[in-house]
Amino acid sequence: MRLDVITIFPDYLAPLRLSLIGRAVQDGLVDLRVHDLRMWTTDRHRTVDDTPYGGGPGMLMRPEPWGAAFDDVLGPGDAGTADPPARVVVPTPGGRPFTQAMAAELATEPWLVFACARYEGLDQRVLDEAAGRASLDEVSLGDYVVNGGEVAVLVIVEAVARLFPGVIGNAGSLVEESHADGLLEGPGWTKPSMWRGHAVPDVLLSGDHARIARWRRDQALRRTAARRPDLVARLEPDRLDRQDRSLLAELGWVVDPGGTLSRLADAPPPVAD
Ligand code: ADE
């Protein structure tokens, strides 16, 4: 997988050279190329921003350095090149929310190009230009504003690259983790079995793998119902077994005639966990 990041703060991306993703980069599984946008400026001050037409606070990023950066990074994009098509990702608070499903989808792409905006964002023509030559996704980390796209790229790359075959040693951990199946993962315990008077739940010491798997699923359902009712409402009832449905019913969730899960109006309040 090839990853290009265009930014005015290349050093911000240094953490991508650490830990699991760093090793994947070192091993050549991930071809990471970080570019300084100012390389494509032509004036003495290496200007990348300017005031918005129509007035208003703050500055926007000028289109020319971005256009030159796309020319060099994306290339001509015609059928004569050997490169696979790139997908351009622009982090912005106005984008589609980034989810595990989007991470899984991006992990199937051979080439992602991240464009990091700063200031009040990009001149709209930068986005139009990118959309004209590659597939473009504007992606938001969540309903809050950070100072630039770099921190979002760290998050997105971390979530995407770990799904890439070979990056994580134990692929089983990808199946069981939070959000993999639309549920939050339940709590976990390791050794010692007793610590400062706190015991590990007996079931986990039982060696009964089927019972443990069921208990973990119940914990995941309970936690999701307590912390993220929006995720419970999005579960597909067809993928719930009898025990799932009975536990959810105990928590006040039933499958309504429209085939979706909804919470009974007189259900007990969610139990915090
Ligand atoms: N840039 C600024 N805020 C952002 C957000 N919430 N998500 C992605 N990029 C951003």
Side-chain angles (χ1 to χ4, degrees):
M1 166 178 253
R2 175 173 163 188
L3 302 176
D4 288 86
V5 185
I6 308 170
T7 168
I8 57 168
F9 294 119
D11 292 348
Y12 212 119
L13 284 304
L16 293 180
R17 312 240 172 228
L18 301 174
S19 186
L20 286 175
I21 311 297
R23 208 177 55 215
V25 171
Q26 246 181 3
D27 293 349
L29 281 172
V30 174
D31 174 9
L32 175 68
R33 307 182 193 186
V34 179
H35 312 272
D36 184 349
L37 179 71
R38 291 193 202 273
M39 273 188 18
W40 289 286
T41 54
T42 48
D43 63 312
R44 204 157 52 92
H45 301 290
R46 309 182 84 201
T47 310
V48 293
D49 62 326
D50 218 319
T51 53
Y53 278 119
M59 306 286 267
L60 289 168
M61 296 193 100
R62 291 176 64 106
E64 305 96 318
W66 282 105
F70 289 152
D71 290 346
D72 283 352
V73 173
L74 293 174
D78 59 34
T81 63
D83 288 332
R87 187 145 164 189
V88 175
V89 178
V90 178
T92 160
R96 283 193 298 144
F98 184 60
T99 60
Q100 188 65 27
M102 199 187 289
E105 192 198 324
L106 293 177
T108 66
E109 296 287 343
W111 184 14
L112 301 175
V113 176
F114 293 94
C116 299
R118 281 266 149 184
Y119 315 106
E120 297 300 312
L122 304 170
D123 181 303
Q124 179 58 36
R125 291 166 294 182
V126 176
L127 298 165
D128 299 341
E129 169 80 6
R133 25 195 321 177
S135 108
L136 170 71
D137 292 273
E138 294 179 65
V139 177
S140 168
L141 279 192
D143 294 340
Y144 47 83
V145 177
V146 293
N147 283 331
E150 290 78 8
V151 70
V153 171
L154 293 178
V155 171
I156 296 168
V157 169
E158 177 105 3
V160 169
R162 64 195 292 283
L163 301 178
F164 200 61
V167 172
I168 294 233
N170 178 5
S173 58
L174 298 178
V175 178
E176 292 201 1
E177 66 194 4
S178 285
H179 299 292
D181 59 358
L183 295 176
L184 303 183
E185 193 180 8
W189 288 263
T190 184
K191 294 175 187 68
S193 60
M194 179 66 77
W195 177 73
R196 296 193 175 184
H198 303 280
V200 170
D202 284 340
V203 59
L204 297 178
L205 308 175
S206 70
D208 181 341
H209 297 299
R211 208 171 126 233
I212 291 171
R214 182 65 252 175
W215 185 83
R216 285 193 168 138
R217 175 123 181 126
D218 290 352
Q219 294 285 312
L221 285 162
R222 285 184 188 280
R223 173 167 282 185
T224 310
R227 298 184 179 179
R228 294 291 304 275
D230 58 312
L231 294 182
V232 177
R234 273 188 261 149
L235 291 174
E236 288 174 38
D238 290 352
R239 300 185 59 188
L240 299 174
D241 65 20
R242 229 139 65 94
Q243 168 65 20
D244 292 341
R245 284 166 186 253
S246 124
L247 175 58
L248 286 170
E250 186 192 308
L251 301 173
W253 289 87
V254 289
V255 180
D256 64 24
T260 56
L261 278 159
S262 51
R263 200 149 188 284
L264 292 172
D266 58 355
V271 183
D273 87 331

